[in-house]
Amino acid sequence: DLAPLLVLGESATASDMVAAVDRSYGYALSSKRLPNERGVTLCAPEDLAGLEFDVVVLVGFVNGLFPEHGYFDPASKSLRQRTHMHESDTAKIDLIKSAAASKVVVSSFSMADLALADAFRLKVDRIRLCGGKRIACVSKSVFARELA
């Protein structure tokens, strides 16, 4: 018996996701692995080794979080480092796929408050003014197609 999924609208922002997880489960997203008696476990991809779940849900699967920001910045990472990052992230994708007995569900968002995007080091595609507030536009992870 699984806990209900968090359903957020298309226009959901990163702040909405963080608040929804906190409201529904009372967890901070920075925690390493958080089991829940209702059938939900929050963990990082690398913590999935040897585990199996009916459904694996990836929350906030956007560039900057996965892969991390440095992957897109040739000024901060050498080609060799970025190649290593790609190989490491591909291995994490393989762990995610192997941990899902039934399916992998991917959630992402396309807008985040600029300060939040900076704090999470998201890869910002462009900045828009929305209701007098600067909003970062972000893209779904480049690894999303590997989970399709």
Side-chain angles (χ1 to χ4, degrees), residues 82-105:
R82 287 183 288 139
T83 300
H84 176 70
M85 290 170 74
H86 181 82
E87 291 167 355
S88 174
D89 288 341
T90 299
K92 289 177 189 175
I93 292 293
D94 291 340
L95 275 174
I96 291 165
K97 289 194 291 191
S98 68
S102 175
K103 65 181 174 177
V104 176
V105 177

Side-chain angles (χ1 to χ4, degrees), residues 2 5 53-57 99-105:
L2 294 175
L5 287 175
F53 301 93
D54 288 334
V55 178
V56 174
V57 180
S102 175
K103 65 181 174 177
V104 176
V105 177

Side-chain angles (χ1 to χ4, degrees), residues 122-144:
L122 301 179
K123 180 189 179 289
V124 176
D125 298 327
R126 68 178 213 221
I127 299 171
R128 296 176 56 185
L129 194 60
C130 211
K133 193 172 189 176
R134 291 171 18 135
I135 301 295
C137 296
V138 297
S139 298
K140 187 180 278 191
S141 172
V142 296
F143 287 96

